[in-house]
Amino acid sequence: HDTVLQNWQCGGPLVNLDGKVVGLNIARAGRVASYALPASVIRPILDVLKVQAASSPAADAKLRETSKPAEAQ
C-alpha cells in the first residue's frame, strides 16, 4: 500500500495488475497504517466458513447477506 485506507475502504480485495485477488485490505483502528492479508491466509478461513454455513441454514443466510456488494444490500 502507498496510502492509509479510510474505514470504508477496509475489507476490500487487493488485486494485482492482472485483476487477480491477492489479498484483503485491512487497517488498524487508529488508521495510521494500512495492511493487506495475503490470499493464502484468507483462503483457508473462507473454506472453513463455507463448510460451517453449509451445515447451518441460519449461518448460510447470514454469510450470503454479508457477502453482497454494499449497493445490493
Side-chain angles (χ1 to χ4, degrees):
H1 291 178
D2 59 358
T3 187
V4 176
L5 298 174
Q6 299 299 315
N7 59 348
W8 54 272
Q9 296 169 314
C10 297
L14 177 65
V15 297
N16 65 15
L17 294 175
D18 296 324
K20 180 180 177 185
V21 175
V22 295
L24 180 72
N25 291 313
I26 62 171
R28 292 182 29 187
R31 305 273 185 250
V32 295
S34 299
Y35 303 96
L37 295 174
S40 61
V41 170
I42 300 298
R43 192 58 169 170
I45 297 167
L46 291 175
D47 292 340
V48 168
L49 290 173
K50 287 178 184 178
V51 168
Q52 289 175 347
S55 65
S56 167
D60 183 52
K62 184 65 175 171
L63 183 60
R64 290 179 190 280
E65 181 63 30
T66 59
S67 63
K68 289 181 184 175
E71 61 274 1
Q73 291 184 11

